[in-house]
Amino acid sequence: MTEGASREQRGALWRLAVDQRQLDANVVRLPPGARVAAHLEARLDVLLYVIDGSGHLAGGGDAPPEDGAAGPPGQADEADEADEADEADDVNEAQAALGPGALVWLPHGSRRALSAGAAGLTYLTVHRRRPGLSIGAPAPVERAGGEAACLLHRVCVECERLAPETDARYCGRCGTALPEY
C-alpha cells in the first residue's frame, strides 16, 4: 500500500474503494512535523494503526501501551463535552507516543489531534462507512398510509359536509354523490 508512494507524498495514500462495503479504511501519511488539528468525531468510532514513523496522539482515544497493543477503552472527559466551535489545535489531555504497531481505539464523541514526528507518520484508519452524497433522483419513499393531502373528493358539493369514511361515494347527510377527482 505504501511502497509505491514517495516519502514526500502526504494525505491519503490508499482508500478502500469497493462500492458495496460497510467499512471505510484509509492509509494516511503525514510528513515530518505535520499535524491533524484537534477535532471531534461525534458519530464514528475509529481504529488507528501505525504502519510507519512516529508521532503523538492527544485526545480521547485510549493510550497505547508500550507494546503497541490496544489498551482498555478511554473515558470521555470534560474536553469531550466542550463546544464544537472551539477549534484549538491543542487538546487538554496528555499526549501518547505513537510508533509502528501502535493500535488505538478512538471512541465516537472524543476530541483528538495527531502530530507526526521527525520521520513522519503513516497510519491506517478504519471506521464504519458514512453514507455518501449523491446527485440524481431521490430514493423512492415508501408511504406508510395516512390521509391524502387533498380531501376534496370527500366534501359534498351540496351541503359541504366532509365524509368521515375514506371510501364514501355519497354524502351521509344529504345523499348527494361525492365528486370524483
Side-chain angles (χ1 to χ4, degrees), residues 2-61:
T2 62
E3 291 177 7
S6 70
R7 284 304 260 184
E8 293 79 35
Q9 188 175 350
R10 65 180 297 158
L13 303 180
W14 175 85
R15 292 178 183 183
L16 189 59
V18 177
D19 286 335
Q20 300 299 321
R21 66 184 190 277
Q22 294 180 355
L23 290 176
D24 271 337
N26 303 293
V27 173
V28 179
R29 177 177 292 148
L30 296 178
R35 297 169 44 99
V36 174
H39 62 284
L40 178 75
E41 175 50 70
R43 295 185 176 157
L44 299 175
D45 288 357
V46 176
L47 190 64
L48 182 142
Y49 175 76
V50 177
I51 298 170
D52 190 28
S54 65
H56 288 89
L57 167 70

Side-chain angles (χ1 to χ4, degrees), residues 71-130:
Q75 297 294 317
D77 66 6
E78 292 177 22
D80 297 335
E81 298 169 5
D83 184 8
E84 288 186 45
D86 178 17
E87 295 296 328
D89 286 343
D90 296 324
V91 177
N92 296 328
E93 294 185 33
Q95 291 196 0
L98 298 174
L103 180 63
V104 183
W105 169 56
L106 302 168
H108 69 282
S110 65
R111 197 162 169 78
R112 75 284 299 256
L114 279 172
S115 59
L121 180 65
T122 304
Y123 59 92
L124 168 72
T125 61
V126 180
H127 56 81
R128 190 178 67 231
R129 185 176 186 194
R130 296 173 201 256

